[in-house]
Amino acid sequence: MTAANETKAILDRLGVAPAAWGGAMPTRSPIDGSTAGPVVETPNVDAVIARSVEAFHAWKRVPAPRRGELVRLLGEELRASKEDLARVVTLEAGKIVSEGLGEVQEMIDICDFAVGLSRQLYGLTLASERPGHHMRETWQPLGPVLVISAFNFPVAVWAWNACLALVCGDPVIWKPSEKTPLTALATQAIFDRALARFEDAPEGLSQVVIGGREAGEALASDPRVPLVSATGSTRMGRAVAQTVAARLGRSLLELGGNNAMVVTPSADLEMAVRAIAFSAVGTAGQRCTTLRRLLVHESVADALVARLKKAYETLPIGDPREAGTLIGPLIDEASAQGFDAALKQAVEQGGEIVVGGARVERDGVYVTPAIVRMPAQTAVVEHETFAPILYVLTWSDFDDAVAMQNAVPQGLSSCVFTDSVREAEQFLSAWGSDCGIANVNIGPSGAEIGGAFGGEKDTGGGRESGSDAWKAYMRRQTQTVNFSRNLPLAQGVKFDV
Amino acid sequence: MTAANETKAILDRLGVAPAAWGGAMPTRSPIDGSTAGPVVETPNVDAVIARSVEAFHAWKRVPAPRRGELVRLLGEELRASKEDLARVVTLEAGKIVSEGLGEVQEMIDICDFAVGLSRQLYGLTLASERPGHHMRETWQPLGPVLVISAFNFPVAVWAWNACLALVCGDPVIWKPSEKTPLTALATQAIFDRALARFEDAPEGLSQVVIGGREAGEALASDPRVPLVSATGSTRMGRAVAQTVAARLGRSLLELGGNNAMVVTPSADLEMAVRAIAFSAVGTAGQRCTTLRRLLVHESVADALVARLKKAYETLPIGDPREAGTLIGPLIDEASAQGFDAALKQAVEQGGEIVVGGARVERDGVYVTPAIVRMPAQTAVVEHETFAPILYVLTWSDFDDAVAMQNAVPQGLSSCVFTDSVREAEQFLSAWGSDCGIANVNIGPSGAEIGGAFGGEKDTGGGRESGSDAWKAYMRRQTQTVNFSRNLPLAQGVKFDV
Amino acid sequence: MTAANETKAILDRLGVAPAAWGGAMPTRSPIDGSTAGPVVETPNVDAVIARSVEAFHAWKRVPAPRRGELVRLLGEELRASKEDLARVVTLEAGKIVSEGLGEVQEMIDICDFAVGLSRQLYGLTLASERPGHHMRETWQPLGPVLVISAFNFPVAVWAWNACLALVCGDPVIWKPSEKTPLTALATQAIFDRALARFEDAPEGLSQVVIGGREAGEALASDPRVPLVSATGSTRMGRAVAQTVAARLGRSLLELGGNNAMVVTPSADLEMAVRAIAFSAVGTAGQRCTTLRRLLVHESVADALVARLKKAYETLPIGDPREAGTLIGPLIDEASAQGFDAALKQAVEQGGEIVVGGARVERDGVYVTPAIVRMPAQTAVVEHETFAPILYVLTWSDFDDAVAMQNAVPQGLSSCVFTDSVREAEQFLSAWGSDCGIANVNIGPSGAEIGGAFGGEKDTGGGRESGSDAWKAYMRRQTQTVNFSRNLPLAQGVKFDV
Amino acid sequence: MTAANETKAILDRLGVAPAAWGGAMPTRSPIDGSTAGPVVETPNVDAVIARSVEAFHAWKRVPAPRRGELVRLLGEELRASKEDLARVVTLEAGKIVSEGLGEVQEMIDICDFAVGLSRQLYGLTLASERPGHHMRETWQPLGPVLVISAFNFPVAVWAWNACLALVCGDPVIWKPSEKTPLTALATQAIFDRALARFEDAPEGLSQVVIGGREAGEALASDPRVPLVSATGSTRMGRAVAQTVAARLGRSLLELGGNNAMVVTPSADLEMAVRAIAFSAVGTAGQRCTTLRRLLVHESVADALVARLKKAYETLPIGDPREAGTLIGPLIDEASAQGFDAALKQAVEQGGEIVVGGARVERDGVYVTPAIVRMPAQTAVVEHETFAPILYVLTWSDFDDAVAMQNAVPQGLSSCVFTDSVREAEQFLSAWGSDCGIANVNIGPSGAEIGGAFGGEKDTGGGRESGSDAWKAYMRRQTQTVNFSRNLPLAQGVKFDV
């Protein structure tokens, strides 16, 4: 069966309306290039926002634990449709089965987490300096949240944002990648089931906008949308940031990564090899946390590269639906051209291709993941090419390794493989990695939802998912109540009229 | 003695170098228009940033409690020079003595607070889903912080930012208002005393940039400055926000306010009158938290306005250095023109001037604070005029009062005077005030440093001072350590090479 | 059908083993005095503890989010068996249907909350004063937790403790009230279903000990049980506290309450009447948070008492299974004797019975709830009689009302009915109510699980359920890692060998 | 000059009243056995408590930041008198100069920390499940706090408790060790200076009770004292715990430690030797965190012991006032007898004394610190002998080392010396050390005040100093405000009268 046909069958089963089909927005499976046919673009973005604002005024009055109940029901529905939704992810984004399931599991996890949050959303009570005064800080709902997501995590990123936003009292408007509208429609259908069981939610609590760049810009520039949470390239993020800044809105950006692993002499090489392979070639190198730079101590570099070469040579590449496949397709031909071009530049800049780098002949766009030894961190290494290329560099002093890790514009994820307390803790210190994520004896990829996810510098500075990332979806209000019969001023100021 | 001469004597005493004088940047006291003479503009902004980056690399390695010791010493020096510095504030910004002292007290308070923080800067340890894994979140120093401050809080805003930044491991670059360079130089001299006692701080830990708009732009656009904390007008903030967004930096904005007080029938009117007078005319109406809109229940409006009129008629206006003065000068002639123009528009838009609105004849620019009854929230009311104009409007239903409070572009401070639990708590609820600050039986002005300070919408969204505002000055890092012999993937993903 | 027969049928359906029946521990329904027959006492308490210790060593190594999954499954099973379990509560504890359902809902709520916690259990990372040092605080599993519960919340109290304990990594040993062993067996059967779905939990993760006082003492005095969480009378709690203190264990005590409501002139009397009725007669006055003292401003006392009298006169008393019944039976004859005796003392101490105070003729033990006006807070008023008696006292000054509220040995729950901000906030201030719970315009009864539940003074000081109550179930460890090559001592101590 | 004469001179200088002298409580310097003469016992403990209760009612109404100002002044006074007070510590407790200064520095540090806390004392605002309800948690002052301190930290322990208590709104009653009344009087004199500058503190805010065991018991059993914070032996703590439990009060216990260091093959032995020496012989082995058990991997044990032997042989023992001295006297002859007896038992139980164990001939009681190799963790090793004896044991498997560390009744402090991430993190994990403190590459002794200090099992479970230890000094109140016109019950319970 073509990927397109399979997709269509699942969407029918999930309840995506027939009316969704037949528009002007093309769809395509990277697995075999087949298309389920175009879908309808959202006709009226302004009306979407208006509905969201309406929904906000109702939803913000619903107690947060009750809002959490909707998210709990969503979690139940996701559990029930886990295999279906994961399959759509595989079909439309080209992920292998295990990764598709993992992505839906991440949605489920964030549901559980958000349900717990719904009885927290903790602000503070604080000690006031004035007698007979009570001071506290409360987090209030913010308003409609725009979620712009990328093709490579076509459903999890929405869930990270939507589950927090909904619990925080905010409606959601979702602008999915133009490359993955179908996963968005599938997710919306599942969400609608939860909504039906919840019964009294306002209209328009979560809406999908199918559309292109103009739709995204119209949404991002609208002052009725206080928060724009955007995942994608640094270029896109820079544009969104300025658009939102011009109206003094709030941005939450998850942009490019250029993630490194430092390997030291005390590293467990067996574990390192497995971590590198998954981090560098998983999702065909198309994760924002994909390992792109391998910084190895000179004493172990040759041995490590040799083992990697061997592992790479037997990587099963092909239809991600098939059991055993580890490497699926690139999302499209443009990606493959970027892959080719980067390898060419790498060689021009002194690099030596150790393994991989070729196209695989079959329907869809498939390549063999590449390892390239580089003499230095040249321009191509500093750039994020969204494809499976791993640059290998060496070092002799650990301080230099940390400096190399930090010497790129991006700041998402990083890791060190070592059994040395001194090296590990230095890597995690104020003079260690400058990324938002730093791991020890784990690859850069695959965060748990309990921690805050995001990075610094050109990665955009946003944080999603766990810890207190929910605060981005709320408005903080500092509240002081005078219950005395006097009017003392702070800082002892006197002003008697 | 002219204000200028007095200023100069204090700056000498505080140790401001003679070389600071004689440049191209004019200075002027609003009290009498006298000038202590121009000061030197900072010649090389690029070098300032370079020094700050250097300082960062040393300072981030200094343990935070040791960094706190510098701030503690600063607090001691501020206590020792409190009257001098407060006097310079009076002389250069025109504040009355008590407000000048209050502003320095605020600096001292934030020192104490920051010293306490220096042993906290709490991140989290978190429960990991993977066996043999340890997960934590650590807050790391961020880098040079640019502080852009306004004339009306010429020293406190620097202290709010600098004390937190220094404790967080960040050097500070201060671009004060062009209208108040002398308070900046005085503060820097006091900081230098603390630095001398501290002994081993790096060069360039806190630098002042005397200069105009170009200097500010050069600083704000530089990618070596990860955080720009700017206080001032919404117009300025919008420009800064876009400049910083273009390089994916971080902004902390404290912009305009258009702060309202809702007065309900159960309010203690005696207290309300005093709160209104201080909030509306203190600092000659030039606080960002100045009360600008008085929303009174129709049943008490006439009585309240009558009492206010009486109070306004006897307000002591004049040289802020003199005991008893409550209203000092406006900062400059442009302010007075704004005052005049706004009153004119208000009348055109249906307003009736109840009291005030005239110029006071003397050196410097002085006006009589105005109360204007308005038929509705017209355009002029929605605009922040930085001068002592209080618009009075009435309502009959509390929900409408809250809606009126929220129906302006700004979102800084707000308050309600009431003894009703229902009204007070509604005002503080998710469907109450949409401001960053909401008070009950307190004016909108005069926050304690323990709470987060800032506002929403056109106010810019930043938070300074207390609560967890320090997080804006740090970089969050999510850290996971695998100390097992296995490599489990999050969300149960399987990927075996 | 007799209550006993109905109970037995439900227990069969839930899967309680036939072997549980036929022992020496009598059972009895307060509804009609019928008995489902005695159950078997746990033969070997020592073995129970040993199994729990074994389970601990396995369970503490299971990642907390995985432990949370067990609690999530428990929540699902409770949802599935909600009506059955609620019915057993009604049958064995005599609660009306709505209250039985509410109690099971509370179990479900705490499951959701605990699942959220399972990815948190937040400790801190802290700023160290020593260079090259990393400091953090981690919360570790503690060990077996003994839960001693009372008849009046025969299942919720277990859930409050067990859900937190399980997520925190602690096995649970449950010693239910001798009056409600059957609800414990029913709950355990439901827990076993969750356990079966979870698959790999250790044996003995949650065990029920059916037995009397000796069993409780054997458990409480055992040093292998680091935490004893006991709910019940102050007399019992005092004994447990000393037993546990003798071995330096940890107690979490929820003991007697003597809860008051202050009614002020601005109170909404209509709401107050409804709140009083529920709080004073719900669960036939047998909640630890039951309203026992009504402290009314003298100006509204007569009117309020008259309305209450009217409401009391029509209270539907009878079989709690029947729709419409609001007052079910007392738990046993001893309770009724306490009721009679207290009323007799109240009259002797100057009280006047306004309404109620009689026995109701039917099977089981039923009384008519009483209101007694007292001239002062005499000895009987200071004592918690576990039955529906409401003492009414008056005051004229609000400070006196607060003092009266505080002038009893217990410190569990309290409330004020007022629309005055000043009164409400004073009640909640440092010089207000001295209880662990203080409400405004809500009765003292019926807490949400998101807040910490418990009280001060003779109430025992423990806190269960929400907020950071989970910390009682864990061990805090302060951890400092030196990753430098030096050994600086804290506080600058020098000690060079 | 005799130690006694020097002490007396300093106390005069600090302003200890002449009336303090001449009572029935003997004083004595362990340095040379000289006595400054007896001091007066506090005549009326009941009056002390009554004053404290009075002080509480005033102090709890003082805003916490203002209370913090008193602690800030105390910090200033301690800085001013640091050398004097440290000298009294040396003279009366026998600590070397650097340790005396370090102890006063610890007082100063906790002052700074507590001042910061005084604007925090953070409770929570929480999401309520009921519409129109606001829920929060506030921490309220608790009441008089009794501090029972031991001779070995004669002033720091008071400061840890008093600074937090005072900021939290609680008066303090201090019962110092009978062996160190003079440091208490000196501290009180310094506190009085701060009090004089503060001006408006209530009488009796901090009182010293000079007395013996009966005084301590009278204080500990009094129900007007809600919190007893006791530092000392496990025997004492057990008694206090039961006394306080009998009246349902709150105990904060810091009792015995039996602290171990695990040394693994990857340890930096040079650092380990220095850490061991300081931890094992500092304060002549009389710290609660003194290193008592050295658990060394068999491959490095001989080398390590040889290096330690060499270091021990040249330890400078003598008058702690002299520069260069590292080991001062034991506190009294009873301590030395305990030292002798423990060594005798150790030999009987198979131990071999490697070095030390002798008396040093001079005035006062001095011994040479001992190292004893033990074949196993015998009875004497499980017991805390408060003198400088270090037991050395070996292991071959790291799991066994952790098990040995945990196999004693006490649970205060522990550490591992290793450069292995796996070993370090296992030691800090849920299946690692069971102590309240666990360090990596640091000895067990010398905590920073920013972390919580205390331990588990027979150490008593209390936590003092940093993190959220302040919560022990306050009363938590869960507060819910209904500002709606409805009365929804939690958990959806229906109860309509």
Side-chain angles (χ1 to χ4, degrees), chain B residues 1 3-16 21 81 83-89 91 186 189-190 193:
Chain B
M1 185 152 53
N5 286 352
E6 194 185 344
T7 309
K8 197 142 192 197
I10 299 173
L11 263 62
D12 285 353
R13 185 158 69 235
L14 289 173
V16 171
W21 300 96
S81 299
E83 306 228 330
D84 272 350
L85 186 57
R87 191 68 170 189
V88 181
V89 170
L91 291 163
I190 293 170
R193 292 183 184 184

Side-chain angles (χ1 to χ4, degrees), chain A residues 128-129 448 452 468 476 478, chain B residues 128-129 448 452 468 476 478:
Chain A
S128 167
E129 74 190 47
E448 302 185 23
D468 66 351
R476 183 203 301 249
T478 303
Chain B
S128 168
E129 75 190 46
E448 301 186 24
D468 67 352
R476 183 202 302 248
T478 303

Side-chain angles (χ1 to χ4, degrees), chain A residues 401-487:
Chain A
V402 174
M404 286 169 75
Q405 141 58 32
N406 292 350
V408 294
Q410 307 85 353
L412 180 52
S413 189
S414 61
C415 61
V416 62
F417 265 70
T418 182
D419 192 43
S420 162
V421 169
R422 281 174 178 152
E423 288 169 352
E425 290 291 341
Q426 179 180 340
F427 195 78
L428 304 179
S429 77
W431 51 98
S433 161
D434 67 357
C435 289
I437 296 172
N439 293 331
V440 177
N441 299 327
I442 306 168
S445 195
E448 302 185 23
I449 61 94
F453 181 87
E456 298 297 318
K457 301 192 295 186
D458 276 5
T459 303
R463 291 297 186 283
E464 285 169 321
S465 195
S467 185
D468 66 351
W470 59 269
K471 290 182 179 173
Y473 304 82
M474 301 199 85
R475 171 171 57 85
R476 183 203 301 249
Q477 189 171 72
T478 303
Q479 306 175 332
T480 312
V481 177
N482 177 8
F483 61 96
S484 77
R485 297 187 178 272
N486 300 308
L487 257 183

